[in-house]
Amino acid sequence: SVPNYLALTSGQTWGVRDDSYRVLPRMDIGDQLSSAGISWRAYMEGLSPAGCLKSPLPYDPGHDPFAFYGGQCPANVVPLTAQAADLAGTTPRFSWITPDRCHDGHDCDVSISDAWLRQEVGAIMQSAAWRSNGLLFVTWDEDDGSTDNHVLTLVIGPGLHHAVSNQLFTHYSLLATIEDQMGVGRLANAAQATPMTALLS
């Protein structure tokens, strides 16, 4: 999982091929948005006061990419429980959500993760932030281990029509799409990636 999360947030895997922890340079989308003065938050389900490296299961630090950059989470990384108040009040321009190991389908039945996702997406779609030209991307970090390694990615926005793309997209494509929407430059391999522009209209 870790290389995929790093690709999604920094445009590269940094040579990482396993799920072990290492400290990486602060060259990720969070640092990029902070430098540009763009508000952002990463909501991590199960994150406790113990912090992003020591919170207990079912929170998974390997699914919290922001813990790797600089060796600790910035203040923008908060428990998922903070999201409801943000949706009802001041919503960051960019939000990242990571479910815990049960709700991401890793350790629990798919019906449980499906119910969780339905509730999360429903709450987001009822928010003023989403209704005001917001975009919601729902994706997985990897598939079930098949050789083609295809994952479903959904793009949901007010006024968007149902569309299916046959174009090849990667995690770098998703990062490139987000960076284009935020008006910031593209990091590493996202610079050459094909953005998901066809799915935004």
Side-chain angles (χ1 to χ4, degrees), residues 15-102:
V16 175
R17 295 180 176 272
D18 56 34
D19 289 341
S20 61
Y21 180 77
R22 71 231 32 229
V23 177
L24 299 173
R26 283 203 177 277
M27 296 171 61
D28 62 290
I29 189 169
D31 188 62
Q32 187 181 34
L33 295 175
S34 292
S35 296
I38 296 172
S39 62
W40 71 279
R41 268 189 154 184
Y43 301 95
M44 302 292 165
E45 188 176 28
L47 181 67
S48 77
C52 57
L53 297 177
K54 295 184 179 179
S55 291
L57 290 172
Y59 166 84
D60 187 340
H63 296 174
D64 179 353
F66 303 101
F68 288 72
Y69 306 115
Q72 61 182 0
C73 281
N76 308 68
V77 178
V78 298
L80 180 59
T81 52
Q83 182 192 33
D86 287 353
L87 286 176
T90 303
T91 308
R93 225 178 124 211
F94 173 76
S95 297
W96 170 286
I97 301 168
T98 295
D100 66 23
R101 286 175 60 97
C102 177

Side-chain angles (χ1 to χ4, degrees), residues 75-134:
N76 308 68
V77 178
V78 298
L80 180 59
T81 52
Q83 182 192 33
D86 287 353
L87 286 176
T90 303
T91 308
R93 225 178 124 211
F94 173 76
S95 297
W96 170 286
I97 301 168
T98 295
D100 66 23
R101 286 175 60 97
C102 177
H103 292 146
D104 69 3
H106 190 282
D107 293 348
C108 295
D109 188 81
V110 69
S111 63
I112 295 174
S113 56
D114 182 59
W116 179 88
L117 185 61
R118 185 180 302 111
Q119 180 179 336
E120 277 297 306
V121 170
I124 291 167
M125 291 177 66
Q126 290 174 16
S127 70
W130 183 82
R131 291 195 306 266
S132 300
N133 297 315

